[in-house]
Amino acid sequence: TPSAVQKIKQLLKDKPEHVGVKVGVRTRGCNGLSYTLEYTKTKGDSDEEVVQDGVRVFIEKKAQLTLLGTEMDYVEDKLSSEFVFNNPNIKGTCGCGESFNV
């Protein structure tokens, strides 16, 4: 989303050695999977690259099918600010929202 693009641009502005962010999934939590998001200096050999308004997002190979069709957003409210993933592949989430399954 435009909000996520702007936040990533802002975060990368102070990190000129990084070319973008990498999104992945890890086994974690009571429901199985959770998202990972980290700065990256290079595109991995098997990463899928998505460029949106000049922002480069790399998707780890093992996460590509899980994240197919997912929208990444950045949401701020009075108590928190976070990247949110709107993933149409999710079959269920845990009560606290920290993990999901497909």
Side-chain angles (χ1 to χ4, degrees):
T1 64
S3 178
V5 167
Q6 291 300 14
K7 185 60 179 181
I8 293 170
K9 282 182 179 179
Q10 177 186 351
L11 292 169
L12 289 173
K13 185 173 57 174
D14 299 330
K15 299 182 178 359
E17 70 277 12
H18 293 90
V19 297
V21 294
K22 185 177 290 195
V23 179
V25 293
R26 298 282 181 270
T27 303
R28 186 180 137 211
C30 53
N31 229 17
L33 299 170
S34 66
Y35 299 104
T36 63
L37 187 61
E38 60 192 18
Y39 299 107
T40 187
K41 294 179 180 179
T42 60
K43 177 185 183 292
D45 291 338
S46 56
D47 291 345
E48 179 74 26
E49 181 177 358
V50 177
V51 179
Q52 180 73 36
D53 297 326
V55 168
R56 296 170 74 189
V57 177
F58 303 96
I59 304 168
E60 294 178 346
K61 182 177 182 169
K62 71 179 189 174
Q64 290 171 10
L65 287 177
T66 303
L67 296 175
L68 190 65
T70 298
E71 176 189 69
M72 183 176 159
D73 195 8
Y74 183 74
V75 178
E76 291 182 278
D77 62 28
K78 291 180 182 180
L79 298 175
S80 67
S81 58
E82 63 185 339
F83 285 100
V84 175
F85 296 88
N86 300 312
N87 188 337
N89 305 304
I90 291 178
K91 301 287 188 252
T93 60
C94 65
C96 64
E98 290 292 319
S99 62
F100 65 95
N101 65 56
V102 290

